[in-house]
Amino acid sequence: MTTIAFPIPSTEIIQERVAEAVRAGLMRRPKRLPAWLFYDEAGSRLFDEITERPEYYLTRTERGILAHHADAMVARAAGLEAASLDRITLGAVSCDRLRIAELGAGSADKTRLLLKAAVAQQGSVIYEPVDVSLTALEAAKERIECEIPGVTVMPRVEDYTQGLELDPTAAGERHLVLYIGSSIGNFEPWEAERVLSRVRAGLNPGDGLLLGVDLKKDEATLLAAYDDAAGVTADFNLNMLARLNRELGAEFQLDAFEHCAVWNARESRMEMHLESRAAQRVHIDALDLEVEFAEGERIHTENSYKYLPGQAEALLASARFEPVESWTDEQGWFRVHLGRAV
Ligand code: AVJ
């Protein structure tokens, strides 16, 4: 039984949100469309496929970090000092109970590693995935409750970029908010700070935030990750136009646009664009709009920031989280940070 007690946004409201975002973005120069538009059903499936491409190192690298360090992450989040980590298995030290929330509905096996570590540490755990998509949340609930005994899933349909409303913790409890998968990378620095500050506003001092960030590395590795040989990332990018065709009665010809992945060194970010192969005009029925494209003109669809050493710590601090500890992989490609609300 799923009990989900909150207003569920109707399809009409979602369509309206899509329509407004598309109108505003395509009127801008340069044209742009927001990255959240990637994730309709087809786009979410394509993203899952991207994570399995050999060039897309992010998911497997972060998974490796969590596989190595989930126990330490959970113990540190519960208030344990680094020095007493090895004594916890002996039951020699006590710490707070965690309730785990996640921004986004379950990054599948990565989240599972942390939930299993929490169950091992405290016997059971409440897991609250927060997402705008009810479908994604229901799938996560089903999957996780079946697979990990001891986990109770309480899904929340919320737009966490606007803030977070978790149930208050009891004495001896702390929230741990998971924001993994480099999702923060889609935000420009000022937006990232605003999102984390809003999350912080819903927490109490002592609560934790686990933040996964992708790090700057050689350009060839980055370019390949965002332009895989099998063309899945290209399909993912182009699906945004397909979505507008489906939902807004737009008439984009997908083969008239080309996927491009660009490294912007000055901003330390990967960018994705859709480039018009020819001069063309595209009708968007639901917006009653004709959009003109020059040959070679681009629509900017995504930024994916690659953090430099110290940047994530500074971001955490600016949102009133004290950086407690961080964990990386052997190559130093990705880093997971634990911040504690102050
Ligand atoms: C889900 C935002 C982390 O930026 O790497 C994958 C999305 N874009 N390939 C990323 C994405 C192109 C992904 N995030």
Side-chain angles (χ1 to χ4, degrees), residues 80-99:
L80 230 69
E81 293 308 314
S84 29
L85 280 187
D86 49 341
R87 287 163 48 214
I88 188 171
T89 43
L90 307 171
V93 280
S94 66
C95 53
D96 285 347
R97 281 186 68 83
L98 293 177
R99 297 170 65 113

Side-chain angles (χ1 to χ4, degrees), residues 35 38-39 47 50-51 56-59 180-186 214 225-228 233 236-237 259 270 272 302-306 334:
F38 284 132
Y39 302 96
F47 176 68
I50 289 176
T51 64
Y56 194 75
Y57 60 85
L58 288 83
T59 311
I180 57 181
S182 181
S183 306
I184 191 76
N186 276 169
D214 193 21
Y226 289 83
D227 193 10
D228 64 278
T233 308
F236 174 72
N237 200 4
H259 164 66
M270 280 300 303
M272 296 211 306
E302 185 178 49
N303 290 321
S304 200
Y305 281 84
K306 305 306 168 192
F334 199 97

Side-chain angles (χ1 to χ4, degrees), residues 60-336:
R60 66 167 178 278
T61 306
E62 188 182 43
R63 188 192 304 123
I65 299 170
L66 297 177
H68 271 91
H69 302 292
D71 290 330
M73 291 170 177
V74 160
R76 293 290 272 136
L80 230 69
E81 293 308 314
S84 29
L85 280 187
D86 49 341
R87 287 163 48 214
I88 188 171
T89 43
L90 307 171
V93 280
S94 66
C95 53
D96 285 347
R97 281 186 68 83
L98 293 177
R99 297 170 65 113
I100 297 186
E102 180 166 18
L103 310 184
S107 323
D109 41 325
K110 290 184 290 174
T111 305
R112 243 169 279 179
L113 293 165
L114 291 159
L115 294 175
K116 281 185 181 155
V119 170
Q121 177 171 290
Q122 59 188 38
S124 62
V125 69
I126 291 173
Y127 169 58
E128 300 169 275
V130 183
D131 203 286
V132 285
S133 156
L134 180 63
T135 338
L137 287 168
E138 282 176 331
K141 179 174 167 76
E142 178 75 28
R143 221 176 38 225
I144 288 171
E145 285 189 342
C146 284
E147 278 178 39
I148 322 174
V151 179
T152 304
V153 185
M154 297 173 58
R156 311 187 73 100
V157 177
E158 253 176 68
D159 177 4
Y160 63 75
T161 61
Q162 302 304 311
L164 194 58
E165 269 176 52
L166 300 173
D167 296 331
T169 44
E173 273 188 341
R174 297 182 193 217
H175 285 296
L176 172 61
V177 176
L178 312 181
Y179 198 18
I180 57 181
S182 181
S183 306
I184 191 76
N186 276 169
F187 296 108
E188 292 178 32
W190 68 272
E191 292 175 301
E193 182 180 334
R194 189 178 64 179
V195 170
L196 295 192
S197 295
R198 286 178 174 171
V199 169
R200 170 64 190 80
L203 298 177
N204 297 119
D207 288 344
L209 173 69
L210 202 63
L211 181 70
V213 300
D214 193 21
L215 303 178
K216 181 175 178 244
K217 58 187 61 63
D218 70 279
E219 184 174 346
T221 300
L222 289 167
L223 287 172
Y226 289 83
D227 193 10
D228 64 278
V232 182
T233 308
D235 289 346
F236 174 72
N237 200 4
L238 286 160
N239 176 62
M240 199 183 288
L241 300 181
R243 176 179 185 175
L244 305 189
N245 290 349
R246 289 188 290 268
E247 292 185 20
L248 300 179
E251 290 167 22
F252 286 100
Q253 284 183 276
L254 300 198
D255 57 6
F257 289 86
E258 190 182 339
H259 164 66
C260 30
V262 179
W263 169 243
N264 182 334
R266 197 168 54 94
E267 304 287 351
S268 192
R269 68 189 190 203
M270 280 300 303
E271 296 178 1
M272 296 211 306
H273 301 262
L274 290 162
E275 184 172 305
S276 177
R277 295 182 194 268
Q280 55 180 317
R281 170 177 299 160
V282 179
H283 177 67
I284 306 181
D285 198 50
L287 300 181
D288 199 14
L289 188 70
E290 302 283 330
V291 187
E292 301 251 15
F293 291 90
E295 183 184 341
E297 185 179 351
R298 289 172 171 183
I299 309 171
H300 185 174
T301 50
E302 185 178 49
N303 290 321
S304 200
Y305 281 84
K306 305 306 168 192
Y307 282 66
L308 304 171
Q311 277 183 344
E313 288 88 343
L315 171 63
L316 285 169
S318 71
R320 292 193 298 129
F321 289 98
E322 170 199 6
V324 170
E325 193 169 343
S326 70
W327 298 267
T328 187
D329 55 289
E330 270 173 17
Q331 300 180 99
W333 277 6
F334 199 97
R335 190 174 277 278
V336 178

